[in-house]
């Protein structure tokens, strides 16, 4: 019972490099999302998807791209890494949007450092 | 816009005692859901408890209970009989019902709880 799987767990990038954070879920959840966690700020929504082929921006989308070609996968791309993107990134999913009693199921996070 | 406020950055509690973590929220959505998550030092986010805005009774899950006061817009988490394993960061979060609020969970800044033996 894997749930939400994120890879890698840790990553160090140089400024200007690009990379993709992977996220996969095996619960057939419609809704998937990416959050970043910074000290004292809780978690902030970067991008989300309500189904395959449908994505939209969250609160802090600049510098990130997403796509959703399958129900299971929701990768997050950093186009040109900046030190301000140093953070812990969480992928999360839930059965459906439009259902405010659905808790999010989180992956274990990716700790990203940009030097 | 939705907003969650957790005013206690850190708290200490003696083992076996109860602790209350404060959470206030602001929303204009007609219905909404309130959640609490635990984040231990290992970093994963663990769902603890849920309260719906129209639920008549306060939610309980084992040693966790939610003191929901709708008129005051507060949703405090009570952990009874604290254990050393309860030491963690705790987040209050809300999901709305209208437009963008329906799709995102808005989080407070978190409260760090340290349980002393």
């Amino acid at each position: 019972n894997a749930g939400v799987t994120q890879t890698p767990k840790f990553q160090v990038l140089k400024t200007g490099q690009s990379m993709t954070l992977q996220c996969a879920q095996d619960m057939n959840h419609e809704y998937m999302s990416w959050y970043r966690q910074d000290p004292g700020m809780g978690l902030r929504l970067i991008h989300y998807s309500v189904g395959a082929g449908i994505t939209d921006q969250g609160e802090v989308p600049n510098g990130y791209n997403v796509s959703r070609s399958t129900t299971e996968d929701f990768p997050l791309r950093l186009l040109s890494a900046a030190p301000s993107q140093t953070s812990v990134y969480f992928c999360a999913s839930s059965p459906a949007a439009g259902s405010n009693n659905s808790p999010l199921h989180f992956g274990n996070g990716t700790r990203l450092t940009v030097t | 816009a939705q907003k969650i406020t957790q005013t206690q950055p850190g708290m200490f509690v003696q083992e076996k005692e109860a602790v209350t973590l404060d959470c206030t929220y602001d929303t204009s959505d007609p219905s909404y859901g309130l959640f609490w998550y635990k984040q231990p030092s290992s970093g994963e986010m663990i769902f603890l408890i849920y309260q719906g805005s129209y639920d008549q009774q306060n939610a309980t899950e084992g040693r966790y209970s939610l003191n929901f006061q709708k008129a005051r817009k507060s949703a405090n988490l009570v952990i009874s009989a604290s254990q050393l394993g309860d030491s963690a960061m705790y987040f209050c979060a809300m999901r709305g019902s209208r437009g963008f609020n329906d799709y995102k969970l808005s989080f407070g800044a978190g409260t760090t709880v340290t349980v002393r033996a």
Side-chain angles (χ1 to χ4, degrees):
Chain A
N1 193 7
V4 180
T5 303
Q6 285 183 240
T7 56
K9 284 184 180 291
F10 301 95
Q11 183 71 48
V12 179
L13 291 178
K14 288 184 167 30
T15 297
Q17 286 184 318
S18 62
M19 78 157 296
T20 299
L21 307 186
Q22 301 291 345
C23 176
Q25 53 91 8
D26 61 359
M27 298 172 282
N28 202 33
H29 284 173
E30 289 183 4
Y31 177 80
M32 296 186 75
S33 54
W34 278 101
Y35 285 81
R36 60 178 287 172
Q37 181 181 13
D38 301 293
M41 302 185 75
L43 280 74
R44 293 178 294 166
L45 182 65
I46 304 171
H47 285 285
Y48 67 94
S49 168
V50 299
I54 306 168
T55 64
D56 208 344
Q57 296 181 350
E59 301 168 280
V60 288
N62 293 340
Y64 308 96
N65 272 357
V66 292
S67 60
R68 184 104 179 265
S69 55
T70 67
T71 300
E72 295 77 21
D73 299 300
F74 191 45
L76 177 73
R77 296 182 189 85
L78 279 70
L79 309 172
S80 176
S84 61
Q85 293 179 303
T86 293
S87 188
V88 179
Y89 291 85
F90 285 97
C91 179
S93 71
S94 68
S99 173
N100 64 25
N101 63 351
S102 296
L104 289 182
H105 301 257
F106 283 85
N108 285 337
T110 296
R111 185 174 293 276
L112 175 68
T113 302
V114 183
T115 61
Chain B
Q2 300 184 133
K3 185 174 180 181
I4 299 281
T5 303
Q6 294 179 255
T7 57
Q8 306 152 309
M11 299 183 71
F12 291 94
V13 60
Q14 207 62 33
E15 197 177 9
K16 300 180 186 173
E17 292 186 349
V19 61
T20 298
L21 309 184
D22 294 340
C23 172
T24 58
Y25 61 90
D26 190 24
T27 183
S28 56
D29 286 0
S31 71
Y32 46 89
L34 294 153
F35 305 82
W36 278 91
Y37 283 84
K38 173 184 179 181
Q39 186 178 43
S41 58
S42 51
E44 70 268 31
M45 295 288 287
I46 302 167
F47 166 66
L48 295 177
I49 195 167
Y50 161 80
Q51 177 83 44
S53 58
Y54 286 111
D55 291 345
Q56 295 296 317
Q57 293 194 322
N58 286 343
T60 60
E61 287 287 347
R63 294 187 298 109
Y64 303 108
S65 60
L66 206 152
N67 182 3
F68 180 50
Q69 298 186 47
K70 192 171 181 179
R72 297 180 63 185
K73 293 190 174 179
S74 75
N76 298 341
L77 178 70
V78 180
I79 306 174
S80 62
S82 296
Q83 302 171 356
L84 295 178
D86 294 333
S87 294
M89 176 85 85
Y90 289 82
F91 290 98
C92 180
M94 177 170 65
R95 195 170 194 176
S97 59
R98 190 157 56 192
F100 178 54
N101 292 344
D102 198 14
Y103 297 115
K104 70 169 186 173
L105 213 54
S106 297
F107 285 83
T111 296
T112 300
V113 173
T114 304
V115 180
R116 290 172 165 155

